[in-house]
Amino acid sequence: MIDVDTNGSIRTVTLDRPDARNAFTVDGLEALEAAIDDADEPVIYLRGRGPAFSAGADLNAVAALEGDRDRAADFARLGQRVARTIEDAPAIVVAGIDGAARGGGLELALACDVRVGTPDSTYGEPGVSFGLFGAWGGTVRLPRVMGEGNALEFALSGRSIDAEEALQTGVISRIEDDPRSVAEEIAANAVDTLPVLKRRLRDDSERATQERREAAAFADLVAAHADDIDAVLE
């Protein structure tokens, strides 16, 4: 289900179940969590193999829950945990989305730090059409990304959007034929700065605390990169 490869500063994590549109079982979610959690590389590039990024939860796995509320809640909590692992990883996680990102697949992408789509990428939360909705943190992250009004219309309609609309609404930040190029662009920077900047941008504390942490982090980096700063000025 998950293939891992490292090239320099980038760990590529590939969702490798193309015949099932990279849909997730419990084992697949746990494998993705492990691939993110044990990464030492400063940048992780997350992609799907085949015609889709990910169709989200495998409906066969959902059906196997047999309507049991406790087991269903456990499955949702597992997906939420994996999304938090992505969001909280020290590495910068870049989602390269080609083809469809649906349901839980979209929700895991929303947990990534950067989302880049190809011109052929599409996005949707279709579960509402058959009585479900994404429960891997999507109801938290989607309004943050799209704004409440856009998120409500998008989720309640069950429609899919193309790359251009995803760009306009903030679901992705760029459209590229080769999304990996953005991961490479990020990895070319000072790698000790990347996790610091991520933590500061992800900080949801009140403003005074954020500003104090920002100043302290800036001071640490100035001290660490004094020679690099001098070199830029020469």
Side-chain angles (χ1 to χ4, degrees):
M1 173 64 192
I2 304 296
D3 181 65
V4 178
D5 179 66
T6 296
N7 185 355
S9 299
I10 301 176
R11 167 176 288 208
T12 299
V13 177
T14 303
L15 310 179
D16 192 12
R17 201 180 172 214
D19 292 345
R21 294 168 61 82
N22 299 319
F24 282 98
T25 61
V26 168
D27 289 345
L29 284 169
E30 290 176 342
L32 175 59
E33 181 180 36
I36 300 294
D37 199 39
D38 69 0
D40 294 324
E41 299 82 0
V43 177
I44 297 171
Y45 179 58
L46 179 63
R47 65 172 188 171
R49 177 161 286 140
F53 176 75
S54 173
D58 187 319
L59 289 183
N60 289 313
V62 176
L65 300 172
E66 299 179 333
D68 186 294
R69 291 175 60 88
D70 291 338
R71 292 170 62 198
D74 286 343
F75 188 59
R77 282 191 286 264
L78 173 59
Q80 292 168 359
R81 192 180 78 202
V82 176
R84 287 196 306 272
T85 297
I86 293 170
E87 191 171 67
D88 295 341
I92 307 304
V93 186
V94 179
I97 304 167
D98 188 27
R102 296 288 187 272
L106 173 58
E107 293 183 314
L108 293 177
L110 290 172
C112 295
D113 303 303
V114 178
R115 293 172 298 281
V116 183
T118 70
D120 295 327
S121 61
T122 61
Y123 309 80
E125 286 276 14
V128 68
S129 66
F130 50 88
L132 292 178
F133 68 93
W136 295 351
T139 58
V140 175
R141 294 184 182 91
L142 198 61
R144 291 178 184 170
V145 168
M146 298 182 79
E148 184 178 284
N150 284 333
L152 280 163
E153 186 277 329
F154 176 64
L156 294 172
S157 69
R159 70 186 181 94
S160 63
I161 61 175
D162 62 14
E164 287 292 343
E165 188 170 353
L167 180 64
Q168 292 167 9
T169 54
V171 174
I172 57 177
S173 57
R174 282 164 67 173
I175 299 174
E176 297 284 348
D177 291 327
D178 179 14
R180 184 184 170 86
S181 64
V182 179
E184 293 169 350
E185 188 179 313
I186 292 169
N189 292 306
V191 295
D192 63 334
T193 305
L194 298 177
V196 176
L197 188 53
K198 172 175 174 172
R199 285 195 299 272
R200 298 287 61 82
L201 289 169
R202 291 283 199 187
D203 194 343
D204 61 357
S205 303
E206 51 89 21
R207 189 182 68 183
T209 299
Q210 288 185 31
E211 290 176 345
R212 184 171 65 252
R213 291 171 176 169
E214 182 182 63
F218 177 74
D220 289 342
L221 290 170
V222 167
H225 289 277
D227 292 341
D228 298 324
I229 297 166
D230 289 340
V232 171
L233 293 172
E234 290 177 356

